[in-house]
């Protein structure tokens, strides 16, 4: 008895049909629910098509790129393969999930986030007497739109150059493209955390005179109430300064880093290093309340070029933007010059 996926007709028009992704269109034609209890239960609609054409994309025995182009229908699968591997590179090893409170998928370019900015009186915890009015929390839409930016890389390769390359090897290059795009999105996120999203909500900047000390970090941490500074974003220079503090040389901190590859500060905040951070800057944030990521659709590839084996200068793009949810949930610490002093005092910039 044959499976239904063996009879699905594949064509170029399945990309971008009614605003749906290729996989969503495939799932409508070949629903995964129909494979429960079968050998194909663990596969999605796209993976079932790879099985149909016997295309192995992973491992030492993976097929060559040429295998996608043995038939007209199987060539239609190639852009989706490229998109998936690029998305994998975009997601793996990236730190965006560690600094975003929520992700919103939005099919368009004009997105307006929401905000709740309580007054000092609204922040107070007051007792509600019987029959009295209950304190209100106002939620409103932001005045300015979130800026969604298209980030991408150009795939420059002739079909003849890659046709005999193993898909597993070709995937390494595609994942690197995804990693580059992810880094550009991270730079956008850092800019929004620091400067705001256009709605007059830049982060409070704390200037540090003299050397970085543990006391200065404590003062910075204390400014986050009622939020919790549970994440620190640093560049390479700031990371070195932090690791030289004796409080960061606790044996338990070292054991945790060796076991998990993740550094935690003595304050309990997760320490994230990235070259996207400007020098002499530390961003502290409450990951649960600081930032919203808005994704404008899936990773896009120029499917016509890829299907027709015209890989030269085929664009791979991703659209994303960021909005600040609660302004006080993120703050910036500007480091002073080394050797300038030892007090470590931190004061808010005027």
């Amino acid at each position: 008895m044959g499976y239904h996926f063996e009879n699905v007709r594949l064509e170029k028009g399945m990309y971008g049909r009614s605003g749906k992704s290729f996989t969503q269109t495939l799932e409508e034609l070949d629903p995964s629910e129909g494979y429960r209890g079968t050998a194909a239960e663990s596969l999605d609609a796209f993976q079932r098509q790879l099985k149909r054409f016997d295309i192995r994309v992973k491992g030492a025995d993976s097929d060559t790129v040429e295998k996608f182009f043995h038939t007209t229908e199987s060539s239609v699968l190639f852009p989706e393969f490229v998109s998936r591997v690029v998305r994998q590179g975009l997601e793996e090893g990236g730190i965006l999930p560690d600094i975003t409170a929520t992700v919103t998928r939005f099919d368009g370019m004009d997105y307006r986030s929401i905000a709740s900015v309580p007054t000092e009186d609204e922040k107070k915890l007051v007792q509600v007497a019987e029959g009295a009015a209950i304190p209100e929390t106002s939620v409103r839409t932001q005045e300015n739109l979130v800026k969604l930016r298209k980030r991408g890389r150009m795939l420059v390769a002739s079909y003849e150059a890659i046709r005999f390359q193993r898909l597993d090897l070709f995937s390494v290059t595609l994942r690197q493209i995804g990693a580059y795009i992810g880094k550009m999105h991270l730079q956008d996120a850092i800019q929004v955390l620091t400067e705001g999203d256009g709605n007059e909500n830049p982060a409070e900047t704390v200037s540090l005179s003299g050397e970085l000390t543990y006391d200065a970090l404590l003062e910075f941490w204390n400014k986050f109430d009622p939020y919790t500074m549970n994440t620190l974003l640093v560049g390479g220079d700031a990371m070195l300064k932090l690791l030289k503090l004796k409080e960061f040389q606790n044996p338990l901190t070292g054991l945790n880093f060796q076991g998990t590859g993740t550094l935690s500060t003595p304050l309990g905040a997760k320490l994230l290093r990235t070259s996207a951070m400007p020098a002499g800057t530390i961003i502290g944030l409450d990951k649960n309340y600081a930032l919203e990521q808005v994704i404008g659709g899936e990773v896009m590839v120029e499917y016509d070029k890829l299907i027709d084996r015209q890989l030269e200068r085929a664009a791979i793009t991703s659209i994303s933007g960021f909005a600040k949810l609660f302004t006080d949930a993120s703050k910036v610490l500007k480091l002073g010059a080394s050797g300038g002093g030892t007090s470590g005092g931190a004061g808010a910039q005027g």
Side-chain angles (χ1 to χ4, degrees):
M1 177 182 174
Y3 289 112
H4 175 61
F5 68 78
E6 296 172 341
N7 302 312
V8 175
R9 185 169 178 268
L10 302 177
E11 57 185 358
K12 283 184 182 181
M14 296 173 71
Y15 287 94
R17 180 183 294 177
S18 303
K20 297 176 182 176
S21 68
F22 179 78
T23 295
Q24 288 173 332
T25 301
L26 261 184
E27 284 286 350
E28 287 186 355
L29 298 173
D30 179 39
S32 293
E33 290 79 3
Y35 295 90
R36 290 177 182 172
T38 71
E41 182 178 18
S42 61
L43 307 178
D44 65 19
F46 174 72
Q47 292 168 329
R48 289 193 292 273
Q49 291 302 314
L50 293 179
K51 179 179 176 66
R52 169 187 176 184
F53 293 101
D54 192 30
I55 301 175
R56 297 183 296 276
V57 298
K58 294 180 180 179
D61 295 327
S62 62
D63 288 308
T64 62
V65 172
E66 187 181 40
K67 186 69 173 287
F68 273 103
F69 298 94
H70 279 186
T71 71
T72 302
E73 284 194 279
S74 62
S75 68
V76 176
L77 299 173
F78 188 59
E80 177 65 12
F81 163 75
V82 171
S83 176
R84 287 190 175 211
V85 179
V86 169
R87 188 163 60 246
Q88 181 184 352
L90 197 154
E91 294 171 352
E92 66 183 13
I95 64 175
L96 277 177
D98 294 312
I99 66 173
T100 50
T102 183
V103 176
T104 300
R105 297 190 179 274
F106 179 74
D107 187 15
M109 294 296 291
D110 298 331
Y111 177 80
R112 200 182 300 272
S113 187
I114 62 172
S116 174
V117 186
T119 64
E120 289 301 318
D121 287 339
E122 290 172 337
K123 292 179 182 178
K124 294 178 181 178
L125 302 177
V126 297
Q127 181 177 349
V128 180
E130 185 176 349
I134 298 176
E136 298 177 347
T137 296
S138 300
V139 178
R140 57 177 174 77
T141 56
Q142 292 279 33
E143 180 178 348
N144 292 320
L145 298 172
V146 174
K147 295 179 181 178
L148 298 184
R149 294 176 175 174
K150 179 185 289 188
R151 299 299 192 185
R153 303 284 290 190
M154 196 73 72
L155 178 62
V156 183
S158 67
Y159 174 67
E160 288 72 22
I162 66 169
R163 61 183 296 190
F164 297 121
Q165 296 298 323
R166 297 285 178 185
L167 289 167
D168 202 39
L169 175 61
F170 185 52
S171 294
V172 176
T173 300
L174 296 177
R175 289 200 304 272
Q176 186 186 50
I177 290 175
Y180 281 135
I181 295 174
K183 184 176 179 180
M184 286 186 281
H185 285 321
L186 178 59
Q187 289 174 332
D188 294 338
I190 290 172
Q191 182 180 6
V192 168
L193 282 171
T194 305
E195 303 174 8
D197 58 13
N199 288 286
E200 299 182 357
N201 53 1
E204 175 189 351
T205 299
V206 177
S207 293
L208 179 63
S209 59
E211 295 181 351
L212 176 64
T213 66
Y214 192 64
D215 286 345
L217 276 179
L218 287 176
E219 291 181 30
F220 186 58
W221 168 83
N222 193 48
K223 291 179 176 290
F224 277 80
D225 186 66
Y227 300 101
T228 301
M229 189 188 77
N230 51 36
T231 306
L232 281 174
L233 272 173
V234 300
D237 63 324
M239 175 70 104
L240 287 176
K241 291 182 179 181
L242 287 171
L243 293 180
K244 289 178 181 178
L245 298 177
K246 65 179 184 348
E247 288 83 4
F248 280 74
Q249 297 169 17
N250 186 307
L252 291 178
T253 302
L255 285 173
N256 182 58
F257 177 66
Q258 293 174 22
T260 65
T262 301
L263 272 171
S264 295
T265 72
L267 301 172
K270 191 172 184 179
L271 191 57
L272 302 173
R273 183 185 68 173
T274 171
S275 59
M277 278 291 295
T281 305
I282 294 176
I283 296 179
L285 63 140
D286 189 331
K287 183 261 183 190
N288 299 314
Y289 297 99
L291 195 67
E292 174 189 15
Q293 182 181 10
V294 183
I295 298 177
E298 300 289 337
V299 172
M300 299 296 295
V301 298
E302 293 184 289
Y303 60 87
D304 277 323
K305 288 186 177 181
L306 298 186
I307 292 173
D308 295 338
R309 289 178 280 191
Q310 299 173 356
L311 277 66
E312 295 88 347
R313 306 194 66 77
I316 301 172
T317 59
S318 172
I319 298 174
S320 188
F322 298 89
K324 292 189 76 169
L325 295 175
F326 295 92
T327 304
D328 292 338
S330 59
K331 301 181 190 299
V332 175
L333 179 63
K334 287 288 187 181
L335 304 182
S338 298
T342 57
S343 65
Q349 221 179 30

